Amino acid sequence: MNTTATTRTAADAARLPLMLGELRLPTMKRLWADLAEQSNREGWTAERFLGTLLEQEVNERETRRLARARVDSHLPPDKSLASFDFDAVATISKAHITALAEADGWIAQGHNLLAFGPPGVGKTHLIAGIGHALIDQGYKVLFVRTSELVQRLQAARRDLRLPAELAKLDRFDLLVLDDLSYARKDQAETSVLFELIAERYERKSIAITANAPFAAWDEVFPDKAMTVAAVDRLVHHSTILEMNVDSYRRRGGGGGGRGPRPPATQEKGHPPPRWFAASPSTQRNDNYSMTTLDRTAQDS
């Protein structure tokens, strides 16, 4: 190689990091020198060299995107479907959950996911696991305690920012409202919760975990009419997961739980608790405890 060619090669090598940085290609900037050396040594074609560099950039960019999406989602990081004990919850079909985790059309159609059962049976774990899987599919998910969200929306209403706050939540394909039955109408004016449900109806999906059946939701919403209207909008085009098993925490000897535990197992001579069949707006298929309800919502 003559002196002119050597000088030009050195100049190109000096310019490349600057140009890659300007183009915001940090992975290519970091790896190009090592890959160029390997390419020269092994006689790669220009197409292979460029393709390998771009592949590394795309892969690392996707890894960073997923990491940001998980942080932004506020999902519990340790609650994945891989660590969920399906054997302990006989009412839940692993195949059905896998289909939900693969999106299976329900997110695009704005359908909802409702998980009912006593404390400590894994409702939050299951829904969070589905949320993590949806992030892997490219969807945006937000996990929030319902009582905290109610306070946040109430503050936005006082400051005349409620439409803007609802618009922020609209960025998420799935909004997970954890522990809905712990929100109380004497804690804050929960009509903002109904406004959120109505705003997302048939457009954006909501997932809910709740200890209490629909009949007890009068404790959440300001009046019975609003309760019925909220249930109608949530149940229309929804999948309901009924988790009537013993608490993980109690089975593990922790004796935990955030409140008194409703009966979770069937006693002799008594039917099992019907967590979601307590509302006239719903129907139950007793032969299939994970029921998809697809009916015409009543106008409220």
Side-chain angles (χ1 to χ4, degrees):
M1 184 180 293
N2 60 40
T3 304
T4 303
T6 301
T7 303
R8 181 173 179 180
T9 299
D12 288 340
R15 291 170 55 226
L16 271 175
L18 298 175
M19 291 188 291
L20 292 172
E22 185 69 22
L23 292 171
R24 298 181 181 178
L25 299 171
T27 303
M28 292 178 66
K29 179 180 178 180
R30 190 180 77 251
L31 297 179
W32 80 268
D34 290 340
L35 284 175
E37 182 180 342
Q38 182 180 358
S39 172
N40 292 334
R41 186 173 63 250
E42 298 178 6
W44 291 4
T45 62
E47 291 83 359
R48 181 182 176 186
F49 172 60
L50 182 59
T52 301
L53 266 180
L54 289 171
E55 183 179 18
Q56 293 292 328
E57 182 69 46
V58 169
N59 289 342
E60 289 206 16
R61 185 169 293 189
E62 178 65 8
T63 299
R64 293 192 299 270
R65 185 194 67 78
L66 289 175
R68 286 195 304 271
R70 291 195 201 287
V71 171
D72 292 344
S73 74
H74 299 288
L75 284 164
D78 58 332
K79 297 189 184 300
S80 67
L81 291 180
S83 62
F84 185 81
D85 186 1
F86 285 94
D87 293 334
V89 189
T91 57
I92 297 299
S93 162
K94 186 174 182 179
H96 193 172
I97 297 301
T98 299
L100 290 170
E102 293 173 352
D104 197 29
W106 65 281
I107 289 287
Q109 298 172 45
H111 292 187
N112 299 322
L113 185 59
L114 316 177
F116 289 86
V121 299
K123 300 183 300 295
T124 297
H125 189 156
L126 184 62
I127 297 299
I130 292 173
H132 280 297
L134 290 173
I135 288 176
D136 290 337
Q137 298 287 329
Y139 293 100
K140 293 183 178 180
V141 178
L142 178 65
F143 177 96
V144 63
R145 302 286 182 189
T146 306
S147 57
E148 294 174 5
L149 181 62
V150 166
Q151 293 175 15
R152 173 174 148 190
L153 294 179
Q154 190 62 15
R157 167 174 279 173
R158 285 196 302 269
D159 297 340
L160 305 179
R161 300 184 289 104
L162 185 57
E165 196 68 26
L166 293 176
K168 289 180 184 177
L169 295 173
D170 213 45
R171 296 188 298 112
F172 296 96
D173 302 295
L174 177 67
L175 177 62
V176 180
L177 302 180
D178 193 40
D179 288 336
L180 182 135
S181 46
Y182 284 107
R184 287 291 180 263
K185 58 187 175 186
D186 57 354
Q187 181 184 59
E189 174 69 39
T190 48
S191 64
V192 290
L193 182 57
F194 173 75
E195 291 185 48
L196 171 66
I197 293 169
E199 176 72 16
R200 294 180 70 89
Y201 177 56
E202 290 192 317
R203 296 190 314 104
K204 298 282 187 174
S205 297
I206 294 176
I208 282 174
T209 69
N211 299 330
F214 290 140
W217 283 19
D218 284 344
E219 296 298 317
V220 176
F221 295 95
D223 57 63
K224 191 172 187 64
M226 189 175 292
T227 303
V228 172
V231 170
D232 277 344
R233 284 162 174 77
L234 288 171
V235 169
H236 190 207
H237 305 309
S238 72
T239 296
I240 295 181
L241 309 177
E242 190 183 16
M243 302 173 68
N244 293 328
V245 296
D246 282 318
S247 165
Y248 282 137
R249 291 188 285 267
R250 289 181 180 270
R251 274 180 286 158
R258 285 166 286 190
R261 180 174 70 116
T265 56
Q266 182 174 359
E267 298 179 13
K268 200 176 240 187
H270 294 83
R274 294 168 62 118
W275 285 94
F276 68 86
S279 165
S281 307
T282 66
Q283 299 174 349
R284 171 177 171 146
N285 176 353
D286 287 315
N287 296 320
Y288 193 46
S289 60
M290 188 157 51
T291 307
T292 300
L293 300 178
D294 190 3
R295 61 172 185 77
T296 303
Q298 301 172 355
D299 292 331
S300 57

